[in-house]
Amino acid sequence: MHRIEAHQIYSTCRGGATSHYPEHVIVSSYEPGARTVEVTGHRGPSGGLRFTIPASYFHATSSTAAGRRRITGYYLTGTLDR
């Protein structure tokens, strides 16, 4: 698993919101070794909503080591300037 840190931006591997989570999320906090990641996401005009998502959903890239496209989870797309 790659290193998850606060202020990282992730997008869904499928491209689009899921039934439970938004398309793009920003990591609010994560303790190394924790099973969940606290994120802020955007869903419509209501602004940022907080979610807790399993850490296993977060990946460094949108493809697997074998080169196949991931169909579930989030992949790293950037970092917020602090």
Side-chain angles (χ1 to χ4, degrees):
M1 184 157 81
H2 77 287
R3 187 174 173 158
I4 301 169
E5 297 179 358
H7 307 289
Q8 288 177 330
I9 303 167
Y10 287 82
S11 296
T12 55
C13 291
R14 283 197 172 195
T18 68
S19 59
H20 295 94
Y21 305 119
E23 180 177 1
H24 305 286
V25 296
I26 300 167
V27 175
S28 301
S29 65
Y30 173 71
E31 291 294 325
R35 297 179 71 144
T36 59
V37 178
E38 198 170 300
V39 301
T40 302
H42 295 282
R43 276 198 172 166
S46 61
L49 298 174
R50 283 229 190 242
F51 297 90
T52 301
I53 300 175
S56 61
Y57 282 32
F58 292 83
H59 310 287
T61 64
S62 61
S63 59
T64 66
R68 293 187 199 95
R69 184 174 173 212
R70 294 185 193 280
I71 58 172
T72 59
Y74 285 89
Y75 69 98
L76 182 63
T77 56
T79 304
L80 289 179
D81 292 329
R82 298 183 214 189

